[in-house]
Amino acid sequence: MTRHIIHQSATILQALRRLNDLSGDVMTLIVTDGDNTMLGTVTDGDIRRGMLNGADLTDTVESVLHRRFRHLSADADPAENVKTIRSARAAGIKLLPELSADKKVVRLIDLTTTRTLLPVTAVLMAGGKGERLRPLTLTTPKPLLEIGGRPIIDYNLENLARCGITDVWVTVKYLADQLREFFATPRHGISAKCVEEDSPLGTIGSVSLVPLPVSGTTLVMNSDLLTSIDLEEMFLHHHTQQADITIAAIPYTVSVPYAILSTDGSRVRSLEEKPTYSHFANAGIYMFSNAVLGALAPGERTDATDLIEAAIAEGLRVTYYPVSGTWIDIGSPADFRHAEELMKHHRSLNHID
């Protein structure tokens, strides 16, 4: 962080040298006073405009300071900070400071590598045997099968990192040692922590093993999905809807190859020729209020559908978020081949060797 911070008394020449040292990085300086209070920002453009207006290299950076800057507030509503980041990205801002209530610099967010900062914990479910993918999963856990030269779970970790999610847990059981070894080294800046089931706990029971905060939001997702879901949009939807649970959903169409009868007792009222029905299907990605997950009985087998149905019965607010873009549940050899072909196409479009 200190690479980007310069004192208000520094000269314009010193600022130019500091900017030159940032070559290849975000070339923005944060100007502060002696108490680390932010006063503004300085870029090459600010200096160029200042010198055209008569500033000299020996003048202080304060003379060319840009004082109308955007920032995050450390004590602001998390969703408001997410919206601030989105606005900053749209404006082309690359370095966004987070400030305390008295305007002191808390941290700097590089928007060229971090797309947003979602205030959520993430739990990746990775304990299954992947039996439908055998023999591929006889010696390798499904999340570590490679698509496009990378383990499936690595794509999901990269997406979490882009969203600024660093509190990441992975639930493991089948071939757990391989997953523990994989996560022994940080991935995309994330030091994920593994928790192991003693016995199979269903599709969400193992979350009870994770020490979640009492309040807040947790993202729970299957680790063997290949998806481009927009987690920022999903979080904002969950927050604005004041939801207890948000289910990511994918469109699913069923076509019936016959004429379907509408009946009243034994009487036929109408026929519909080869109808098509559209539904939303569970995508295996959820955002939960931690209060909901806190009700899970430790070590007790629970499926996500049971937990969600219980929440609906209790009158909790359960919403859905439609997934757009890529979503592949790699559950069968055909899904695996489809994912490989999709990744090859993606790499060729983006000229990746």
Side-chain angles (χ1 to χ4, degrees):
M1 185 172 80
T2 55
R3 279 167 48 85
H4 290 273
I5 293 180
I6 191 168
H7 192 269
Q8 67 186 108
S9 64
T11 65
I12 290 175
L13 180 59
Q14 288 173 319
L16 284 171
R17 286 173 175 158
R18 290 284 299 279
L19 287 168
N20 187 63
D21 291 340
L22 290 173
S23 182
D25 199 344
V26 177
M27 296 185 67
T28 301
L29 294 174
I30 305 298
V31 182
T32 62
D33 65 12
D35 292 324
N36 198 37
T37 300
M38 183 170 176
L39 304 175
T41 61
V42 168
T43 64
D44 277 327
D46 294 321
I47 292 174
R48 181 176 63 252
R49 285 185 288 273
M51 296 191 74
L52 286 172
N53 287 325
D56 190 83
L57 288 174
T58 57
D59 291 342
T60 65
V61 289
E62 217 171 351
S63 64
V64 293
L65 195 61
H66 179 71
R67 297 182 183 276
R68 297 179 62 187
F69 56 88
R70 303 191 196 201
H71 70 281
L72 299 183
S73 298
D75 57 351
D77 178 271
E80 289 307 310
N81 274 344
V82 171
K83 291 174 183 176
T84 298
I85 292 172
R86 174 181 287 186
S87 174
R89 291 200 320 263
I93 294 170
K94 296 180 179 179
L95 193 68
L96 189 66
E98 180 179 4
L99 306 182
S100 62
D102 55 359
K103 303 304 180 186
K104 289 182 169 45
V105 179
V106 175
R107 60 174 168 169
L108 302 176
I109 297 98
D110 183 349
L111 297 184
T112 65
T113 57
T114 301
R115 183 174 179 270
T116 189
L117 286 176
L118 299 185
V120 305
T121 298
V123 180
L124 301 179
M125 312 295 282
K129 294 183 177 180
E131 292 178 330
R132 288 184 296 157
L133 275 170
R134 289 183 174 175
L136 294 175
T137 53
L138 286 174
T139 57
T140 304
K142 184 163 66 165
L144 294 186
L145 293 177
E146 292 194 354
I147 300 289
R150 291 169 57 190
I152 299 167
I153 198 171
D154 198 54
Y155 292 99
N156 293 316
L157 284 170
E158 184 180 36
N159 195 14
L160 296 180
R162 282 198 300 266
C163 293
I165 301 172
T166 56
D167 186 18
V168 179
W169 295 79
V170 184
T171 66
V172 300
K173 180 167 178 56
Y174 178 66
L175 299 177
D177 287 346
Q178 291 187 39
L179 286 157
R180 288 185 184 280
E181 183 179 355
F182 179 78
F183 289 110
T185 303
R187 315 286 302 187
H188 308 287
I190 294 174
S191 296
K193 301 162 284 282
C194 293
V195 291
E196 185 169 354
E197 303 167 274
D198 290 331
S199 58
L201 296 179
T203 57
I204 204 165
S206 59
V207 176
S208 67
L209 306 176
V210 177
L212 296 174
V214 174
S215 61
T217 302
T218 294
L219 167 72
V220 179
M221 66 181 293
N222 298 338
S223 63
D224 52 8
L225 300 174
L226 193 64
T227 178
S228 59
I229 185 171
D230 189 330
L231 294 175
E232 181 184 66
E233 285 281 4
M234 185 176 180
F235 170 78
L236 290 173
H237 170 89
H238 178 79
H239 189 274
T240 57
Q241 291 291 316
Q242 298 182 319
D244 297 292
I245 303 173
T246 297
I247 307 168
I250 55 166
Y252 188 80
T253 301
V254 179
S255 297
V256 181
Y258 310 105
I260 297 300
L261 281 63
S262 174
T263 60
D264 180 6
S266 62
R267 187 173 181 179
V268 176
R269 292 293 185 182
S270 64
L271 284 87
E272 186 176 3
E273 186 67 32
K274 299 179 180 178
T276 296
Y277 303 102
S278 295
H279 306 276
F280 278 110
N282 184 353
I285 306 170
Y286 316 91
M287 284 198 180
F288 286 95
S289 160
N290 286 356
V292 174
L293 295 176
L296 287 169
E300 183 176 301
R301 182 185 178 92
T302 310
D303 287 330
T305 49
D306 296 331
L307 180 64
I308 293 168
E309 286 175 354
I312 293 170
E314 291 174 18
L316 299 183
R317 186 165 179 78
V318 179
T319 68
Y320 73 93
Y321 170 75
V323 177
S324 60
T326 301
W327 181 91
I328 304 175
D329 177 8
I330 305 174
S332 68
D335 296 328
F336 189 82
R337 289 191 295 271
H338 174 51
E340 284 188 312
E341 289 302 316
L342 183 69
M343 192 52 60
K344 285 179 184 176
H345 180 64
H346 169 76
R347 292 169 73 87
S348 65
L349 284 178
N350 290 279
H351 307 291
I352 301 172
D353 295 329

